[in-house]
Amino acid sequence: MIIDFHAHTFPSKIAEGVLQKLQHLSRSKPYTDGTTDGLRRSMDRAHIDISILLPVMTNTGQVHKLNEAAARANEHWQETGLLSFGGMHPDTPDYRAELAHVQDMGLRGIKIHPAYQDTDFDDIRFLRIIDRASELGLIVLTHAGWDIGIPGHNYCTPQQIQHVMREVSPDRLVLAHMGGWADWNAVEQELAGLPLYFDTAFSTGEIVAAPGTTRTPEESHNLNRAAFARLVRRHGTKRVLFATDSPWSDQEETLDFVRNAGFTDEELADILGNNAQKLLGI
């Protein structure tokens, strides 16, 4: 089984506008039209069995509504191959009740995005949410490292992650973008080997500029295969989750990159699906 642990879709009526805005900010090319149908066509081409959808809550008014929508969509996940997490915003008034509701509805985890939510990862508001989510057995997946569209401040650094691990000790924490996008040297030195997970989303190969934008050569490269394999092995293949950040990476290309990074068949099976199955309980 192949599981993409990090993907995004948007309602059909707003998908085009959202993609236009985000590709302008990031100057990077999207590889689907941002809809669930577009993602499923991509999954079929790449022979991916399940994609985990990660909603991002940019204001507190979205939280309850989008969590309930995720739960409704998950009623058919075994047919669609799309399994959604819930989400949380650091300013959610009654975060404990909302997290309990997330668990009651059967959602397996939550997504938080420090950069889009303008809050450092080790802020007390996130600490409380992560602590309570961990008590409830929920996976917490966070954007980690720099955000390609918000260059001014790194809201989730290795130092902040270490602080959270000391204060809360979450046992089901997933750091997107191989532990910290564009901060991989520090990740390798300070986070590799800790009891948490890295996902591979938007971390491998070349970043293609969106139409009408440009990227310098220095801005156009993520981890090459050698650096990627070294970081995976330093962290441990049992704690790495295949992920693409679709629509911002091509699922088929990312899968090919990982398959050709020099791992054994057993290691590949863990990265591409076994680790995710165990974490998700499916």
Side-chain angles (χ1 to χ4, degrees), residues 7-20 22 30-42 53 246-248:
H8 303 282
T9 62
F10 311 98
S12 297
K13 63 183 179 181
I14 65 169
E16 182 178 0
V18 171
L19 284 193
Q20 287 179 350
L22 292 177
Y31 287 85
T32 77
D33 63 5
T35 67
T36 55
D37 286 344
L39 176 58
R40 292 179 69 185
R41 288 192 294 269
S42 173
L53 301 182
S246 179
W248 304 109

Side-chain angles (χ1 to χ4, degrees), residues 233-282:
R233 293 194 183 284
R234 180 79 180 268
H235 188 53
T237 56
K238 297 289 187 182
R239 287 191 171 268
V240 175
L241 306 164
F242 171 72
T244 67
D245 208 4
S246 179
W248 304 109
S249 293
D250 181 78
Q251 289 184 312
E252 195 169 14
E253 289 179 4
T254 306
L255 189 55
D256 179 75
F257 183 101
V258 175
R259 280 177 166 154
N260 289 283
F263 301 111
T264 67
D265 289 346
E266 181 179 351
E267 289 170 336
L268 268 179
D270 285 340
I271 294 167
L272 296 181
N274 290 347
N275 298 337
Q277 282 187 268
K278 292 175 184 176
L279 188 58
L280 293 165
I282 58 174

Side-chain angles (χ1 to χ4, degrees), residues 1 113 126 149 151 176 189 264:
M1 180 176 286
H113 200 306
F126 275 140
Q189 294 301 315
T264 67

Side-chain angles (χ1 to χ4, degrees), residues 52-84:
I52 306 301
L53 301 182
L54 301 175
V56 177
M57 314 302 190
T58 56
N59 63 70
T60 59
Q62 297 173 321
V63 173
H64 188 76
K65 177 176 66 175
L66 293 184
N67 284 337
E68 294 208 326
R72 288 194 299 272
N74 283 352
E75 293 173 3
H76 307 288
W77 77 266
Q78 290 177 310
E79 294 85 57
T80 64
L82 304 178
L83 181 63
S84 184

